[in-house]
Every structure is written in structure tokens, then in C-alpha cells.
Amino acid sequence: MSDRLKVTMQFTDQLNRRISLSSSPQRIISLVPSQTELLVDLGLEEKIVGVTKFCVHPHGLTKRKTIVGGTKNYRMEVIESLKPDLIIGNKEENEQVGIEKLMEKYPVWMSDIYTLKDSLGMILSLGDMLEVREKAEAIIRQLGIDFAQPSPMRGRAVYLIWKDPIMVAGVDTFINEMLGFAGFENAVVARRYPELTEEELCNLNPEYLLLSSEPYPFKENHIKSFQTLLPKAKVNLVDGEIFSWYGSRLLHAKAYFDTMR
């Protein structure tokens, strides 16, 4: 059959871009850890040929698949050798210039996620495009049950993602959405991920200071210094994957929120 007679399938990503596929993708590269885990949970591991070094779930996946770089820097020659028929990325997590170069050669489907609704839309869209809609719908149904009601209100919180400089999650972020479901009011009213001085952090006067396990790996030894800075706040380490991964990792969120101190 000539190329002109091949049936082309059209899909729209979350940047409202049209993606054309001549057949169901068989060689997928995922540049986003949370979406890589989702693909595996949708039963598509055999079709994944490339991942980032941060795609740590499921355990051992980076040993079974080719690493194409990180979420910001890509080994273009490795990607070329893998001959992908689909690359999956995310507007916030992936570096724009590199993604645009990949778009010149390959079908690239991009997510853009700020809310739980956006996440559910991403899951369903990938389910449709990759012909696993029933499995995607099963995940969505469970998440609909899990997130039907937020946790009881705990108090005002600041969520730290970086230490030096101090960076926090503001509004207009997926983390902000998860804070609400976990029962926290975000004390930060600025958009996205603002930097704060120690004085500005103190002036927010949060009841909770949440130290995320990623992207900065906060540990127990960081609690004491922040507790000295904010003696009235409850300073807790939290699982950054639960608060910021927007794929099937969300299936673990309700149990985690229920057991938070």
C-alpha cells in the first residue's frame, strides 16, 4: 500500500496540537517519570523503548529500557537509534528547545497539567491513542472514588521543593491541587514556584511546613534547621511523588493522605 493510501489517525494533545499517526505506536519514548509509570500500568511496558534516568517506577525499568537522558537534556543520537514512532512529554517538566527539535522529526504528544481534571484527561487521551481505553477508564473510575471528597482541613501550609534558594509551590500548580485534597490551605498566593527569603517564609506564618522528597531530596536532618526558623510550625517530610506525579501514582494518594500526621 502506498503512503498516500495509508490511514492516518489524528489525536490532539493538551497543548491543542494535532498528532498524526499512521499506525498504533509500537516504539514509545517517555520523557516524564509519572507518565512512564502510567504507561506500564496501562499494560504497555513492552512498547516502551526509551525512558529518562528519573523513571524510577516501576523498580528496575531503567535497567530494562534505554535511557535517553533526563527530563531537560536528551541524548538525541540515542533517541534517533531507537526509531520511536511516538514520544510523550510534558510542558512543565521537559525543556522546550529540545522538545521542539524532537517535534521536527517525530510525533510528540504533550501533556499540560495543573489540576486533577487535567490528569484524568491525560490518562484517557493516552488510553485512546494507545488502544487501552478500558484500562485507562478503570484507573479514572478509581481516582473518581478516591478524590470524591478532600481530607479534613488540617491548616495553612507551605510546600518546599528546593532548599538553596528556598523555592515553594504556589498556586497554578498541580501540587497546589494536591495540597487541597490533602487538607491543606496553601499559604503561598504567588503563581508557580516562587523563591522566598527566610524572612518571607517566616512572614507567611504557616501551621505546616512540608519538605518534599523531590526535586530537592529533603531529609530528616533538614527538619531541625527549619523548625528553628519556624518554631510554631509542624515541619514534616512528605512524599513528593504523591504530591506531584499526575499519572497512576495518584492511586496511592488517598491512603497516603489518610495516614499523614
Side-chain angles (χ1 to χ4, degrees), residues 39-49 58 61 64-65:
L39 293 178
V40 174
D41 288 338
L42 289 173
L44 299 167
E45 180 173 345
E46 290 187 0
K47 296 184 179 182
I48 300 172
V49 295
L61 187 69
R64 300 191 294 272
K65 304 298 179 180

Side-chain angles (χ1 to χ4, degrees), residues 238-251:
V238 296
D239 187 338
E241 294 174 357
I242 293 294
F243 280 90
S244 64
W245 286 35
Y246 37 76
S248 46
R249 178 72 18 181
L250 288 170
L251 293 169

Side-chain angles (χ1 to χ4, degrees), residues 209 211 218-230 233-238 261:
L209 186 67
L211 308 181
F218 285 103
K219 306 292 184 184
E220 289 284 347
N221 61 297
H222 296 111
I223 292 178
K224 184 176 181 180
S225 61
F226 281 106
Q227 193 69 76
T228 301
L229 187 65
L230 292 166
K234 297 177 182 178
V235 182
N236 295 334
L237 296 175
V238 296
R261 289 179 295 160

Side-chain angles (χ1 to χ4, degrees), residues 49-65:
V49 295
V51 298
T52 76
K53 62 183 178 180
F54 302 115
C55 294
V56 297
H57 295 299
H59 178 73
L61 187 69
T62 53
K63 295 182 179 179
R64 300 191 294 272
K65 304 298 179 180

Side-chain angles (χ1 to χ4, degrees), residues 64-256:
R64 300 191 294 272
K65 304 298 179 180
T66 299
I67 295 177
V68 300
T71 55
K72 307 296 184 185
N73 299 293
Y74 320 119
R75 298 162 65 192
M76 295 296 187
E77 71 285 355
V78 174
I79 292 175
E80 179 78 22
S81 71
L82 292 174
K83 297 180 171 28
D85 49 21
L86 179 66
I87 297 175
I88 297 174
N90 173 266
K91 180 182 177 181
E92 178 178 297
E93 293 196 47
N94 296 136
E95 190 268 335
Q96 183 178 351
V97 173
I99 286 291
E100 289 176 348
K101 288 182 179 178
L102 292 172
M103 287 175 177
E104 294 174 1
K105 291 186 175 183
Y106 311 103
V108 180
W109 193 95
M110 297 292 290
S111 62
D112 188 20
I113 296 175
Y114 297 87
T115 66
L116 180 64
K117 182 179 179 181
D118 295 335
S119 175
L120 299 182
M122 177 271 294
I123 294 170
L124 186 60
S125 292
L126 291 182
D128 279 337
M129 183 168 57
L130 301 173
E131 300 179 347
V132 286
R133 184 182 177 95
E134 288 187 8
K135 291 182 179 179
E137 288 179 336
I139 292 174
I140 290 170
R141 281 195 299 272
Q142 185 58 54
L143 293 178
I145 295 170
D146 291 351
F147 286 90
Q149 294 292 334
S151 298
M153 181 55 65
R154 306 172 194 270
R156 295 173 68 256
V158 173
Y159 185 104
L160 267 63
I161 64 168
W162 205 257
K163 181 177 180 293
D164 186 17
I166 295 173
M167 295 180 67
V168 299
V171 297
D172 202 24
T173 64
F174 187 72
I175 292 172
N176 181 70
E177 178 101 337
M178 290 300 103
L179 284 171
F181 280 111
F184 297 103
E185 176 190 355
N186 195 347
V188 179
V189 297
R191 296 180 67 252
R192 310 304 290 153
Y193 304 102
E195 294 182 13
L196 300 180
T197 64
E198 289 188 353
E199 181 180 2
E200 288 170 332
L201 178 60
C202 292
N203 288 340
L204 289 174
N205 193 30
E207 296 170 79
Y208 292 85
L209 186 67
L210 307 180
L211 308 181
S212 178
S213 61
E214 65 166 51
Y216 186 89
F218 285 103
K219 306 292 184 184
E220 289 284 347
N221 61 297
H222 296 111
I223 292 178
K224 184 176 181 180
S225 61
F226 281 106
Q227 193 69 76
T228 301
L229 187 65
L230 292 166
K232 296 182 179 180
K234 297 177 182 178
V235 182
N236 295 334
L237 296 175
V238 296
D239 187 338
E241 294 174 357
I242 293 294
F243 280 90
S244 64
W245 286 35
Y246 37 76
S248 46
R249 178 72 18 181
L250 288 170
L251 293 169
H252 303 277
K254 184 179 187 301
Y256 182 80

